[in-house]
Amino acid sequence: MTETREAMIKRMRMRSMRRGIKEMDLILSAYADAHLGDMSDQELALYDALLAENDHDIYGWVGGQFAAPDEYTALIAQMKQGAHGVTRPA
């Protein structure tokens, strides 16, 4: 049985707000609310793959402590725009 687009988006919204660290809850849930509904199937698959990554790694990528893997560079750049005040003072 394949997952419907609506079920996939609902699952990813839940995974975005139930993370291991509070900062990632804030960053990813805000990003998911703003962007998931408008993403293509390919973009959703990439975001789903990102959700499988370690929270501390994602936080470091968004905060600029270290470079994100090439496949996530554009996605992380977009997330950084909404992460001011969470990764560094606004």
Side-chain angles (χ1 to χ4, degrees):
M1 178 178 208
T2 60
E3 185 177 38
T4 66
R5 180 179 173 86
E6 293 78 23
M8 176 186 280
I9 289 172
K10 183 177 179 179
R11 175 180 54 78
M12 286 192 280
R13 277 201 170 110
M14 289 302 295
R15 288 186 65 202
S16 295
M17 67 177 156
R18 301 280 191 251
R19 303 300 298 185
I21 58 175
K22 187 63 175 176
E23 293 84 358
M24 290 314 307
D25 293 349
L26 296 171
I27 293 167
L28 293 177
S29 63
Y31 182 83
D33 288 344
H35 298 283
L36 287 183
D38 297 327
M39 287 182 164
S40 68
D41 291 346
Q42 184 179 2
E43 290 169 326
L44 286 173
L46 181 63
Y47 186 72
D48 200 21
L50 178 78
L51 291 175
E53 298 286 347
N54 181 285
D55 277 349
H56 293 283
D57 291 340
I58 301 170
Y59 188 70
W61 300 334
V62 173
Q65 286 83 12
F66 41 92
D70 291 341
E71 64 265 30
Y72 300 131
T73 302
L75 182 58
I76 295 297
Q78 194 176 30
M79 281 181 189
K80 283 182 182 184
Q81 295 173 2
H84 289 281
V86 179
T87 59
R88 58 191 169 274

